[in-house]
Amino acid sequence: MPKDAFSNEDAWPEVVPVGPRRRVSEMQAKLHQWAAADPGRRFDDLFNLVHDPATLLVAFDRVAGNRGANTPGVDGLTVAEVEEWIGVPGFLDDLRAALKDGSFRPLPVRERVIPKPGGSGKVRALGIPTIADRVVQAALKLVLEPIFEADFLPVSYGFRPRRRPHDAIAEIHHFGTRGYRWVLDADIEAAFDSVSHSALMDRVRTRVKDKRVLALVKAFLKAGILTELGVHRNAYTGTPQGGILSPLIFNVAMSVLDEHVMDPWKSGGSMSTQGKRAYRRSKGRATWRIIRYCDDFVIVVHGSREDAEMLREDVAEVLAPLGLRLSPAKTQVVHMGDGFDFLGFRIRWKRMRGTNTWYVYTFIAKRPLRSVKAKIRALTHRTSQQDFASVLKRLAQIMRGWANYFKHAVAKWTFSKLDTFTWWRLAHMLRARHGWNWGQLRRHLKTGTGRWVIAAGGVEYFRLQGVTVSRYAYRGTKIPSPWPPANPA
């Protein structure tokens, strides 16, 4: 999956089982209803909900279910070791007691530098908290998310429950087909590392009055970083990528931008109805809409290049108090006819082949294609001694996940070409491993029916070209609330 196009894994299931999860879900539903009913309400006495045994238990389950459960923080503990050596009840009891008596202090996050996808050679620093810190962050998120979700606008899609990157792409497609063809393709320099702590806390305070919760959020921001060289570095700005709470807090800060850009779309605003937007355009004035996925965003404009350039300056002024700035090199104003990349997709307005009709098309961008090819090459090197069944199994995981993400694009030809590329990589691998010539390869891989099959240990090669491609339906404001109504008292 391409940069910053992560799936949203924290949405509740449709049916919440009886027990701690049901209790937490009902608590969230009430908080969400109260927040939606009173936009100016500041919530007090949230700390008791954070250290509630049910909240901590659900938070631990989420931490244990994440892919990073076996990645330790600075204390060296993993979820498996907590379960085996300490026991979950004892671990959560100690954590709850530390929270209640005020002795809990977050430890510095462990820095881990990983390469950015796409083979650019650039790296990204992740901050890995300890298991205890992750559980407390998850508990904070369980309590704070339903409150702030009541305020978030529908144009924001990143790291929000029941929202996907595909929703953001579908919205761009929706407005692109309706004349919004100038695009401010924005890039914020080191967004997570640069965002101002004071600006973050000011935004959190608009909804949270409980000083203990505010102190806990601030403590995580100030916890610091233990670098890969073992040097402790204080954190004066930013929120670590890798922290469970970070995407939510960052969205809280970035909602300032959403509200500013979308202010004319409010009820009674100059763009609040289709008729008002048409009237503005008839007078030569532009209309626009932002589509944001965490720190990645575009603003589509029904107007001119000059209108988009003016929005660029306006956005820069809004971001400055947050400690953020647009990258001069990567932020650009483009016409949709030239195309632009967003969340791994290439979006372009172009003429349909053989006709004079123009459409907005969504293709797979070059960078994720290069990235997946690099993974396939590394896994299928002809001198590799890895078990062939394991190679096929891992290939299926990579290609199935990649295909599921991109199957809503114009992807059939790309899937077919990538499938052919992978098939030949495996064929060359088998030839080198067994010393086969092409005739021997044919005898081993071709069945009596004439079908070619690459398989080992009961695992058959996953054919990417067989994945069904379909259009993703634009959901707009119809994305349902993640919390069911609270049970009546």
Side-chain angles (χ1 to χ4, degrees):
M1 195 171 291
K3 170 185 175 289
D4 292 331
F6 309 112
S7 59
N8 297 318
E9 300 171 345
D10 290 334
W12 288 104
E14 294 296 331
V15 179
V16 182
V18 177
R21 184 166 288 192
R22 170 67 64 84
R23 179 175 170 180
V24 170
S25 181
E26 290 175 351
M27 173 268 289
Q28 289 187 304
K30 289 178 181 177
L31 290 174
H32 184 70
Q33 289 170 356
W34 293 336
D38 185 358
R41 177 171 180 172
R42 295 180 68 212
F43 287 79
D44 203 353
D45 200 24
L46 294 175
F47 192 69
N48 290 332
L49 300 177
V50 173
H51 67 66
D52 185 275
T55 307
L56 291 176
L57 185 58
V58 173
F60 183 87
D61 286 345
R62 290 203 172 184
V63 171
N66 287 343
R67 285 180 294 179
N70 292 320
T71 304
V74 295
D75 62 356
L77 277 179
T78 65
V79 166
E81 290 167 346
V82 167
E83 293 172 339
E84 182 179 353
W85 298 346
I86 304 173
V88 175
F91 175 78
L92 294 182
D93 285 345
D94 292 345
L95 190 56
R96 183 168 186 258
L99 286 168
K100 289 182 69 176
D101 64 24
S103 62
F104 174 80
R105 296 290 184 275
L107 292 174
V109 296
R110 181 171 70 88
E111 184 180 64
R112 184 182 176 190
V113 178
I114 62 170
K116 287 187 176 182
S120 64
K122 297 181 180 180
V123 295
R124 177 190 297 126
L126 297 181
I128 304 170
T130 64
I131 299 300
D133 290 351
R134 282 181 240 178
V135 172
V136 176
Q137 285 192 35
L140 276 169
K141 184 179 180 184
L142 289 170
V143 174
L144 296 179
E145 186 173 51
I147 296 172
F148 288 106
E149 274 290 327
D151 299 333
F152 290 159
L153 298 183
V155 296
S156 165
Y157 293 99
F159 303 100
R160 293 182 59 191
R162 295 189 180 174
R163 289 170 175 263
R164 312 181 186 101
H166 307 89
D167 289 311
I169 299 299
E171 180 150 332
I172 295 171
H173 188 280
H174 175 82
F175 283 94
T177 59
R178 285 157 178 79
Y180 289 71
R181 304 226 170 86
W182 282 104
V183 181
L184 172 60
D185 181 13
D187 183 270
I188 303 175
E189 286 189 346
F192 275 82
D193 297 331
S194 305
V195 65
S196 164
H197 286 174
S198 60
L200 282 172
M201 293 306 302
D202 285 345
R203 288 295 292 181
V204 174
R205 289 188 189 98
T206 61
R207 276 302 203 170
V208 178
K209 190 177 179 181
D210 192 321
K211 292 183 178 179
R212 294 168 296 178
V213 170
L214 292 171
L216 203 51
V217 173
K218 188 173 183 179
F220 280 116
L221 293 175
K222 299 292 186 183
I225 300 166
L226 186 68
T227 69
E228 291 186 329
L229 299 176
V231 178
H232 181 267
R233 188 171 72 239
N234 291 325
Y236 300 106
T237 61
T239 177
Q241 292 192 63
I244 293 173
L245 192 62
S246 294
L248 172 62
I249 299 301
F250 189 83
N251 270 335
V252 170
M254 288 294 289
S255 62
V256 174
L257 178 64
D258 301 340
E259 292 164 7
H260 177 81
V261 175
M262 296 301 295
D263 185 66
W265 286 72
K266 286 182 180 178
S267 179
S270 60
M271 303 182 199
S272 57
T273 66
Q274 187 173 345
K276 287 184 176 182
R277 294 191 290 274
Y279 177 78
R280 277 182 64 92
R281 293 192 290 268
S282 71
K283 297 297 181 181
R285 287 179 287 172
T287 56
W288 56 79
R289 189 174 180 90
I290 188 173
I291 298 98
R292 185 174 64 82
Y293 195 93
C294 206
D295 62 326
D296 279 355
F297 67 92
V298 297
I299 300 179
V300 292
V301 180
H302 196 310
S304 65
R305 171 182 280 276
E306 290 71 26
D307 296 318
E309 293 286 0
M310 288 176 62
L311 280 168
R312 176 177 182 162
E313 301 303 318
D314 191 36
V315 165
E317 290 179 7
V318 176
L319 292 177
L322 300 176
L324 303 175
R325 64 188 296 264
L326 295 174
S327 167
K330 296 181 180 178
T331 299
Q332 58 181 342
V333 171
V334 297
H335 192 272
M336 206 171 279
D338 298 322
F340 66 99
D341 293 353
F342 190 61
L343 303 180
F345 293 90
R346 180 76 177 173
I347 303 168
R348 188 179 173 192
W349 183 59
K350 59 178 293 186
R351 182 175 58 85
M352 184 178 182
R353 185 180 299 175
T355 73
N356 288 320
T357 309
W358 290 64
Y359 295 97
V360 176
Y361 289 92
T362 303
F363 302 99
I364 302 174
K366 291 181 180 179
R367 190 172 70 175
L369 185 58
R370 287 198 305 266
S371 180
V372 75
K373 278 188 172 183
K375 291 180 181 179
I376 292 169
R377 286 191 183 98
L379 197 60
T380 58
H381 197 280
R382 64 179 63 192
T383 61
S384 171
Q385 297 302 310
Q386 189 176 353
D387 177 66
F388 195 66
S390 300
V391 171
L392 293 177
K393 191 173 183 180
R394 179 61 185 142
L395 267 179
Q397 292 171 344
I398 292 171
M399 296 174 71
R400 186 175 280 114
W402 196 84
N404 283 338
Y405 184 79
F406 287 111
K407 67 182 180 181
H408 301 298
V410 181
K412 200 66 181 175
W413 183 85
T414 305
F415 283 177
S416 179
K417 295 293 285 185
L418 187 60
D419 182 89
T420 302
F421 167 81
T422 309
W423 194 95
W424 282 108
R425 293 285 304 183
L426 291 171
H428 286 300
M429 187 179 182
L430 286 171
R431 282 194 66 207
R433 179 171 292 191
H434 299 291
W436 293 339
N437 59 32
W438 288 111
Q440 290 170 318
L441 181 74
R442 186 182 299 108
R443 285 195 297 273
H444 280 89
L445 302 187
K446 203 168 186 179
T447 65
T449 60
R451 178 170 173 257
W452 290 75
V453 176
I454 297 180
V459 182
E460 188 173 332
Y461 166 57
F462 173 73
R463 299 309 303 260
L464 189 61
Q465 64 183 11
V467 175
T468 302
V469 173
S470 62
R471 170 70 60 84
Y472 186 85
Y474 172 58
R475 298 191 292 168
T477 58
K478 299 177 183 179
I479 300 175
S481 169
W483 298 284
N487 292 334

